[in-house]
Amino acid sequence: MAETERFDVVVVGGGIAGSALAAALAGDGYEVMLLERQTSYRDKVRGEVINCWGVQELIDLGLEECILKAGGTYVDRFIGFDEIVDPETAKSKALHLDRMLPGIRGVLDVGHPAACEALSTAAEEAGATVVRGIGDVLVSGGDDPTVRYELNDMEHQVSCRLIAGADGRMSTVRRQLGIGLTQTPPNSLGGGMLVEDLHDWPVNVTSIGTENDLLYFVFPREGGRARLYLLHDVGQKGRFAGPNRHAEFLQAFQLDCIPGSEMFAAATPTAVCAFYPMNDAWADTPAVPGAVLLGDAAGWSDPVIGQGLSIALRDARMIRDCLRTAGTWDAKIFESYAEERKERMRRLEISGSVRTTMNMTFTAQGRARRSAYAEVWPSDPVLAGSRLATFQGPFHVPAESFAPDTIERLFALG
């Protein structure tokens, strides 16, 4: 075994959450090690939108510029093309995403691999020791945390003051620390595909809407690139699973509610088309003696509302702030983080439920409710809150928006 090194923080997982935290802590002068399995980040169907409240976290972490240099694209308009409204009316009711939060230019769309690479590089440039291509990791928390990892067939051991587990949904750090995870059943099935040559789609416009039995998302980037998503009922598992799934996926995007939707037929798939269950999950606790969890390792919201990157950045910023204000590093310093995250994820779970119920009830009653909601939410801040929370964040809308009687009122529309 290689000689033991010592760090202030060892971050396990070099995705969005882990790399952002490593960059922030190294920038604060801490001795940080960042461990990542991948030698190069691969494209998967991962979140590619940082919503307005997540952009604020990115700015607070001092990491906006590196994401923009990695190809991040600001999108300042949301148009809800949908079967319940004609396209011109939908355009006239576009949301101005650059007005959601003071000083925030909109949502920020970015390729997931490029963002991870940029943040990992930022961590290294800030002084973190970044190790890529590691194998198995063994962690031990408590008063004297240690991390053992494999690299090039050798086992290395490091000691630290704190382990930060940012190793995703299947987190081995979470499991080894004995932290339980609760998951809801799948609410829907969702899949995405990265495409090129979508030059006719406005680069500053994002869109979400429903037609027939599909919910679609369009997240554009510069240069005619976009990540397209389709969500459908869990009972249709395998709908886009055959050898022709890429062509069938693009064919399904030629929706009547989107003007000029034949543009999608000319798009070129550049990555795999894959579908996954959409659900919520939460860890029993995000912090134990000697360790803290962040990002998906600590639990996630249903991707139907696209909050994953914003959650990750809020986690990283809050953990950084906890360490900045702490006199002694123990589990108690993360109590405010744990309390805030629990309520944050509760509100986002409700927002996800609202979107699923509103946009994925593929019946005449569902369409009537969606039409009624479209009429009332612009003038009712409480009924609008669970929807606007996806852009503004769960604490920038009325708390009453998430109350059971409010949700009952909302679902009774139509």
PDB file of all heavy atoms in Angstrom, residues 342-360:
ATOM      1  N   LYS A 342     -33.835  18.864   3.403  1.00  0.00           N
ATOM      2  CA  LYS A 342     -35.060  18.085   3.597  1.00  0.00           C
ATOM      3  C   LYS A 342     -36.277  18.853   3.106  1.00  0.00           C
ATOM      4  O   LYS A 342     -37.128  18.308   2.387  1.00  0.00           O
ATOM      5  CB  LYS A 342     -35.213  17.726   5.078  1.00  0.00           C
ATOM      6  CG  LYS A 342     -36.441  16.879   5.374  1.00  0.00           C
ATOM      7  CD  LYS A 342     -36.510  16.523   6.852  1.00  0.00           C
ATOM      8  CE  LYS A 342     -37.735  15.662   7.159  1.00  0.00           C
ATOM      9  NZ  LYS A 342     -37.801  15.306   8.603  1.00  0.00           N
ATOM     10  N   GLU A 343     -36.371  20.132   3.476  1.00  0.00           N
ATOM     11  CA  GLU A 343     -37.508  20.935   3.047  1.00  0.00           C
ATOM     12  C   GLU A 343     -37.421  21.252   1.554  1.00  0.00           C
ATOM     13  O   GLU A 343     -38.451  21.249   0.854  1.00  0.00           O
ATOM     14  CB  GLU A 343     -37.583  22.228   3.856  1.00  0.00           C
ATOM     15  CG  GLU A 343     -38.701  23.180   3.461  1.00  0.00           C
ATOM     16  CD  GLU A 343     -40.098  22.598   3.630  1.00  0.00           C
ATOM     17  OE1 GLU A 343     -40.250  21.549   4.301  1.00  0.00           O
ATOM     18  OE2 GLU A 343     -41.051  23.196   3.084  1.00  0.00           O
ATOM     19  N   ARG A 344     -36.222  21.514   1.079  1.00  0.00           N
ATOM     20  CA  ARG A 344     -36.042  21.779  -0.359  1.00  0.00           C
ATOM     21  C   ARG A 344     -36.534  20.599  -1.194  1.00  0.00           C
ATOM     22  O   ARG A 344     -37.295  20.762  -2.153  1.00  0.00           O
ATOM     23  CB  ARG A 344     -34.560  22.027  -0.643  1.00  0.00           C
ATOM     24  CG  ARG A 344     -34.258  22.401  -2.076  1.00  0.00           C
ATOM     25  CD  ARG A 344     -32.805  22.239  -2.483  1.00  0.00           C
ATOM     26  NE  ARG A 344     -31.827  22.304  -1.422  1.00  0.00           N
ATOM     27  CZ  ARG A 344     -30.603  21.765  -1.517  1.00  0.00           C
ATOM     28  NH1 ARG A 344     -30.248  21.127  -2.620  1.00  0.00           N
ATOM     29  NH2 ARG A 344     -29.744  21.845  -0.527  1.00  0.00           N
ATOM     30  N   MET A 345     -36.116  19.406  -0.827  1.00  0.00           N
ATOM     31  CA  MET A 345     -36.488  18.227  -1.600  1.00  0.00           C
ATOM     32  C   MET A 345     -37.979  17.898  -1.443  1.00  0.00           C
ATOM     33  O   MET A 345     -38.605  17.387  -2.375  1.00  0.00           O
ATOM     34  CB  MET A 345     -35.618  17.045  -1.189  1.00  0.00           C
ATOM     35  CG  MET A 345     -34.120  17.277  -1.399  1.00  0.00           C
ATOM     36  SD  MET A 345     -33.672  17.754  -3.086  1.00  0.00           S
ATOM     37  CE  MET A 345     -33.805  16.151  -3.899  1.00  0.00           C
ATOM     38  N   ARG A 346     -38.549  18.210  -0.281  1.00  0.00           N
ATOM     39  CA  ARG A 346     -39.988  18.007  -0.101  1.00  0.00           C
ATOM     40  C   ARG A 346     -40.769  18.885  -1.073  1.00  0.00           C
ATOM     41  O   ARG A 346     -41.709  18.427  -1.735  1.00  0.00           O
ATOM     42  CB  ARG A 346     -40.402  18.330   1.333  1.00  0.00           C
ATOM     43  CG  ARG A 346     -41.878  18.045   1.635  1.00  0.00           C
ATOM     44  CD  ARG A 346     -42.297  18.594   2.986  1.00  0.00           C
ATOM     45  NE  ARG A 346     -42.432  20.054   2.972  1.00  0.00           N
ATOM     46  CZ  ARG A 346     -43.534  20.689   2.583  1.00  0.00           C
ATOM     47  NH1 ARG A 346     -44.589  20.008   2.157  1.00  0.00           N
ATOM     48  NH2 ARG A 346     -43.594  22.019   2.608  1.00  0.00           N
ATOM     49  N   ARG A 347     -40.376  20.143  -1.158  1.00  0.00           N
ATOM     50  CA  ARG A 347     -41.071  21.057  -2.057  1.00  0.00           C
ATOM     51  C   ARG A 347     -40.878  20.650  -3.516  1.00  0.00           C
ATOM     52  O   ARG A 347     -41.819  20.708  -4.319  1.00  0.00           O
ATOM     53  CB  ARG A 347     -40.597  22.489  -1.831  1.00  0.00           C
ATOM     54  CG  ARG A 347     -40.956  23.034  -0.450  1.00  0.00           C
ATOM     55  CD  ARG A 347     -40.612  24.513  -0.321  1.00  0.00           C
ATOM     56  NE  ARG A 347     -40.901  25.005   1.023  1.00  0.00           N
ATOM     57  CZ  ARG A 347     -40.975  26.278   1.361  1.00  0.00           C
ATOM     58  NH1 ARG A 347     -40.757  27.219   0.419  1.00  0.00           N
ATOM     59  NH2 ARG A 347     -41.237  26.657   2.590  1.00  0.00           N
ATOM     60  N   LEU A 348     -39.686  20.223  -3.867  1.00  0.00           N
ATOM     61  CA  LEU A 348     -39.438  19.821  -5.248  1.00  0.00           C
ATOM     62  C   LEU A 348     -40.169  18.534  -5.596  1.00  0.00           C
ATOM     63  O   LEU A 348     -40.601  18.349  -6.741  1.00  0.00           O
ATOM     64  CB  LEU A 348     -37.934  19.676  -5.494  1.00  0.00           C
ATOM     65  CG  LEU A 348     -37.144  20.987  -5.480  1.00  0.00           C
ATOM     66  CD1 LEU A 348     -35.655  20.719  -5.656  1.00  0.00           C
ATOM     67  CD2 LEU A 348     -37.644  21.958  -6.551  1.00  0.00           C
ATOM     68  N   GLU A 349     -40.322  17.643  -4.621  1.00  0.00           N
ATOM     69  CA  GLU A 349     -41.114  16.436  -4.884  1.00  0.00           C
ATOM     70  C   GLU A 349     -42.554  16.815  -5.228  1.00  0.00           C
ATOM     71  O   GLU A 349     -43.166  16.244  -6.134  1.00  0.00           O
ATOM     72  CB  GLU A 349     -41.094  15.508  -3.671  1.00  0.00           C
ATOM     73  CG  GLU A 349     -41.876  14.221  -3.914  1.00  0.00           C
ATOM     74  CD  GLU A 349     -41.966  13.336  -2.687  1.00  0.00           C
ATOM     75  OE1 GLU A 349     -41.572  13.778  -1.603  1.00  0.00           O
ATOM     76  OE2 GLU A 349     -42.449  12.190  -2.830  1.00  0.00           O
ATOM     77  N   ILE A 350     -43.083  17.807  -4.524  1.00  0.00           N
ATOM     78  CA  ILE A 350     -44.440  18.277  -4.818  1.00  0.00           C
ATOM     79  C   ILE A 350     -44.489  18.914  -6.205  1.00  0.00           C
ATOM     80  O   ILE A 350     -45.428  18.675  -6.980  1.00  0.00           O
ATOM     81  CB  ILE A 350     -44.912  19.259  -3.728  1.00  0.00           C
ATOM     82  CG1 ILE A 350     -45.095  18.507  -2.403  1.00  0.00           C
ATOM     83  CG2 ILE A 350     -46.215  19.948  -4.142  1.00  0.00           C
ATOM     84  CD1 ILE A 350     -45.327  19.410  -1.213  1.00  0.00           C
ATOM     85  N   SER A 351     -43.477  19.706  -6.541  1.00  0.00           N
ATOM     86  CA  SER A 351     -43.436  20.302  -7.883  1.00  0.00           C
ATOM     87  C   SER A 351     -43.411  19.224  -8.957  1.00  0.00           C
ATOM     88  O   SER A 351     -44.071  19.351  -9.995  1.00  0.00           O
ATOM     89  CB  SER A 351     -42.207  21.203  -8.016  1.00  0.00           C
ATOM     90  OG  SER A 351     -42.352  22.387  -7.263  1.00  0.00           O
ATOM     91  N   GLY A 352     -42.654  18.169  -8.711  1.00  0.00           N
ATOM     92  CA  GLY A 352     -42.609  17.065  -9.669  1.00  0.00           C
ATOM     93  C   GLY A 352     -43.944  16.370  -9.804  1.00  0.00           C
ATOM     94  O   GLY A 352     -44.382  16.003 -10.906  1.00  0.00           O
ATOM     95  N   SER A 353     -44.622  16.201  -8.675  1.00  0.00           N
ATOM     96  CA  SER A 353     -45.950  15.581  -8.702  1.00  0.00           C
ATOM     97  C   SER A 353     -46.935  16.431  -9.484  1.00  0.00           C
ATOM     98  O   SER A 353     -47.765  15.911 -10.255  1.00  0.00           O
ATOM     99  CB  SER A 353     -46.447  15.376  -7.268  1.00  0.00           C
ATOM    100  OG  SER A 353     -47.779  14.916  -7.246  1.00  0.00           O
ATOM    101  N   VAL A 354     -46.836  17.751  -9.309  1.00  0.00           N
ATOM    102  CA  VAL A 354     -47.724  18.654 -10.037  1.00  0.00           C
ATOM    103  C   VAL A 354     -47.474  18.555 -11.536  1.00  0.00           C
ATOM    104  O   VAL A 354     -48.417  18.431 -12.330  1.00  0.00           O
ATOM    105  CB  VAL A 354     -47.544  20.102  -9.553  1.00  0.00           C
ATOM    106  CG1 VAL A 354     -48.250  21.086 -10.483  1.00  0.00           C
ATOM    107  CG2 VAL A 354     -48.071  20.251  -8.121  1.00  0.00           C
ATOM    108  N   ARG A 355     -46.200  18.582 -11.933  1.00  0.00           N
ATOM    109  CA  ARG A 355     -45.922  18.506 -13.375  1.00  0.00           C
ATOM    110  C   ARG A 355     -46.381  17.165 -13.941  1.00  0.00           C
ATOM    111  O   ARG A 355     -46.967  17.119 -15.037  1.00  0.00           O
ATOM    112  CB  ARG A 355     -44.437  18.720 -13.668  1.00  0.00           C
ATOM    113  CG  ARG A 355     -44.111  18.548 -15.159  1.00  0.00           C
ATOM    114  CD  ARG A 355     -42.757  19.089 -15.528  1.00  0.00           C
ATOM    115  NE  ARG A 355     -42.760  20.550 -15.538  1.00  0.00           N
ATOM    116  CZ  ARG A 355     -41.655  21.298 -15.692  1.00  0.00           C
ATOM    117  NH1 ARG A 355     -40.472  20.711 -15.833  1.00  0.00           N
ATOM    118  NH2 ARG A 355     -41.745  22.606 -15.693  1.00  0.00           N
ATOM    119  N   THR A 356     -46.118  16.078 -13.238  1.00  0.00           N
ATOM    120  CA  THR A 356     -46.526  14.771 -13.747  1.00  0.00           C
ATOM    121  C   THR A 356     -48.042  14.692 -13.888  1.00  0.00           C
ATOM    122  O   THR A 356     -48.573  14.232 -14.907  1.00  0.00           O
ATOM    123  CB  THR A 356     -46.022  13.654 -12.822  1.00  0.00           C
ATOM    124  OG1 THR A 356     -44.589  13.689 -12.778  1.00  0.00           O
ATOM    125  CG2 THR A 356     -46.463  12.288 -13.319  1.00  0.00           C
ATOM    126  N   THR A 357     -48.767  15.138 -12.861  1.00  0.00           N
ATOM    127  CA  THR A 357     -50.225  15.082 -12.895  1.00  0.00           C
ATOM    128  C   THR A 357     -50.782  16.015 -13.967  1.00  0.00           C
ATOM    129  O   THR A 357     -51.705  15.645 -14.718  1.00  0.00           O
ATOM    130  CB  THR A 357     -50.810  15.446 -11.521  1.00  0.00           C
ATOM    131  OG1 THR A 357     -50.319  14.514 -10.545  1.00  0.00           O
ATOM    132  CG2 THR A 357     -52.324  15.403 -11.540  1.00  0.00           C
ATOM    133  N   MET A 358     -50.221  17.210 -14.058  1.00  0.00           N
ATOM    134  CA  MET A 358     -50.729  18.183 -15.024  1.00  0.00           C
ATOM    135  C   MET A 358     -50.400  17.792 -16.462  1.00  0.00           C
ATOM    136  O   MET A 358     -51.248  17.883 -17.349  1.00  0.00           O
ATOM    137  CB  MET A 358     -50.146  19.569 -14.724  1.00  0.00           C
ATOM    138  CG  MET A 358     -50.822  20.272 -13.578  1.00  0.00           C
ATOM    139  SD  MET A 358     -52.518  20.703 -14.013  1.00  0.00           S
ATOM    140  CE  MET A 358     -53.083  21.384 -12.460  1.00  0.00           C
ATOM    141  N   ASN A 359     -49.172  17.378 -16.701  1.00  0.00           N
ATOM    142  CA  ASN A 359     -48.706  17.186 -18.073  1.00  0.00           C
ATOM    143  C   ASN A 359     -48.733  15.742 -18.553  1.00  0.00           C
ATOM    144  O   ASN A 359     -48.541  15.485 -19.741  1.00  0.00           O
ATOM    145  CB  ASN A 359     -47.281  17.722 -18.228  1.00  0.00           C
ATOM    146  CG  ASN A 359     -47.228  19.230 -18.195  1.00  0.00           C
ATOM    147  OD1 ASN A 359     -47.138  19.824 -17.128  1.00  0.00           O
ATOM    148  ND2 ASN A 359     -47.302  19.859 -19.355  1.00  0.00           N
ATOM    149  N   MET A 360     -48.981  14.799 -17.629  1.00  0.00           N
ATOM    150  CA  MET A 360     -48.936  13.396 -18.040  1.00  0.00           C
ATOM    151  C   MET A 360     -50.214  12.645 -17.676  1.00  0.00           C
ATOM    152  O   MET A 360     -50.203  11.424 -17.563  1.00  0.00           O
ATOM    153  CB  MET A 360     -47.701  12.717 -17.437  1.00  0.00           C
ATOM    154  CG  MET A 360     -46.397  13.364 -17.881  1.00  0.00           C
ATOM    155  SD  MET A 360     -44.934  12.391 -17.489  1.00  0.00           S
ATOM    156  CE  MET A 360     -45.135  11.001 -18.614  1.00  0.00           C
TER     157      MET A 360
END
